[in-house]
Amino acid sequence: MTETDRQIRRFAPPRSFADKIADILRNEIYRGVFRPGERLPTEGKLCSTFGVSRAVVREAISALKQDGILESYQGRGIFVSDRPPEATFRLATADLDDLEELERVLEFLIAHETAATSLAAERRTEEELQQIKDALDAMNAAITRNEAGVDEDLAFHAAISAATNNEFFVSFNAFLENRVRHLIREARANSSRAGLTKYVQQEHDEIYAAIEARDRDAARIAAERHLRNAAERLRLRGTSRHGV
């Protein structure tokens, strides 16, 4: 590893406790410690085992439920899904502490987001356009209150996915949000520290303007520019082999 790599790696976003616990539970399920159809220990027991709060345990369980690995039943608890974990999408296993793997994940996100934004520009209704605008306004309001606006950022991109009028984009976007929320949080925090918040909002404004104009090409370009800049704000070298 070069000195440059070491310097860049220092800025890679740390993994949350919830992510780490989710990985431990996932690995135990893969190894057969918890078998399909078996009930997981209670939240209280997991909190005691890992030494974390209920909120952290719930976030970890939510990630595994989103991946299709766990299922919940009211009044009965959390169970390992009868469906083999191998049947679920495997982004969950990506090591986002690894710089090169993180770059590949971001490259994948760019492909997904640019396609969704382009379709939204073509297919959106006036009501869906208003929902995108409402999320954009909410981000501006959060910034005015000196807040990071992570939830508002996610709502903006979720509204764009909804405007594709393709349920697969909608459900996959929900999956991605659950897995990469901390990346968005880190990128926005870096933007705030570097005084780049207004530039991030300009990127969102450009995306909205392209969708409003029903310009698929402009929407795709604006979405790609935004995500590549987000990668740069995460202090990465780039999200493709050619760099940013």
Side-chain angles (χ1 to χ4, degrees):
M1 181 186 298
T2 68
E3 181 60 29
T4 299
D5 284 338
R6 292 190 184 94
Q7 291 297 321
I8 294 172
R9 189 180 292 274
R10 287 197 307 115
F11 293 100
R15 306 187 73 204
S16 70
F17 286 125
D19 288 334
K20 293 175 182 177
I21 291 171
D23 281 347
I24 292 171
L25 291 174
R26 183 182 296 108
N27 288 334
E28 289 187 340
I29 291 168
Y30 288 163
R31 291 189 294 108
V33 176
F34 298 109
R35 304 187 68 81
E38 184 176 348
R39 181 179 175 178
L40 247 60
T42 64
E43 282 186 3
K45 178 65 174 176
L46 291 173
C47 290
S48 177
T49 298
F50 294 113
V52 296
S53 68
R54 286 183 180 269
V56 171
V57 167
R58 286 170 182 166
E59 185 177 346
I61 289 174
S62 177
L64 295 176
K65 287 167 63 178
Q66 188 71 48
D67 294 347
I69 294 173
L70 296 180
E71 298 175 341
S72 62
Y73 298 93
Q74 182 126 15
R76 294 177 54 202
I78 307 295
F79 292 78
V80 178
S81 174
D82 288 327
R83 179 179 55 177
E86 288 77 11
T88 64
F89 187 67
R90 298 300 295 274
L91 177 59
T93 65
D95 181 3
L96 300 184
D97 284 332
D98 183 274
L99 181 62
E100 292 183 0
E101 194 154 348
L102 180 57
E103 290 175 351
R104 290 195 293 273
V105 169
L106 285 165
E107 181 179 62
F108 176 75
L109 291 178
I110 286 174
H112 170 78
E113 289 287 336
T114 55
T117 306
S118 177
L119 286 173
E122 178 184 17
R123 299 175 179 175
R124 58 83 178 166
T125 64
E126 289 301 318
E127 181 180 357
E128 288 164 344
L129 180 66
Q130 185 59 53
Q131 290 172 344
I132 297 170
K133 182 64 162 60
D134 289 344
L136 183 63
D137 291 343
M139 269 193 287
N140 283 320
I143 291 169
T144 300
R145 298 191 301 269
N146 292 318
E147 297 174 358
V150 173
D151 289 339
E152 293 80 4
D153 193 328
L154 291 168
F156 177 75
H157 291 285
I160 291 173
S161 288
T164 66
N165 289 285
N166 182 323
E167 69 273 18
F168 295 106
F169 272 96
V170 175
S171 61
F172 194 65
N173 181 73
F175 168 81
L176 288 174
E177 281 185 5
N178 192 56
R179 295 305 306 164
V180 302
R181 181 184 295 267
H182 66 288
L183 297 184
I184 297 172
R185 184 182 296 116
E186 181 70 13
R188 290 193 71 89
N190 286 356
S191 298
S192 179
R193 287 193 292 268
L196 299 173
T197 303
K198 68 177 182 179
Y199 298 108
V200 177
Q201 284 308 94
Q202 286 175 5
E203 293 166 12
H204 287 132
D205 288 339
E206 290 171 1
I207 291 171
Y208 172 78
I211 294 174
E212 182 183 32
R214 297 188 184 276
D215 189 331
R216 288 192 58 167
D217 289 339
R220 176 181 53 76
I221 291 169
E224 180 168 356
R225 182 185 302 117
H226 170 58
L227 287 166
R228 289 191 181 280
N229 287 342
E232 188 68 18
R233 288 186 283 269
L234 283 166
R235 299 292 201 273
L236 296 179
R237 288 171 296 183
T239 55
S240 73
R241 69 184 65 184
H242 303 296
V244 175

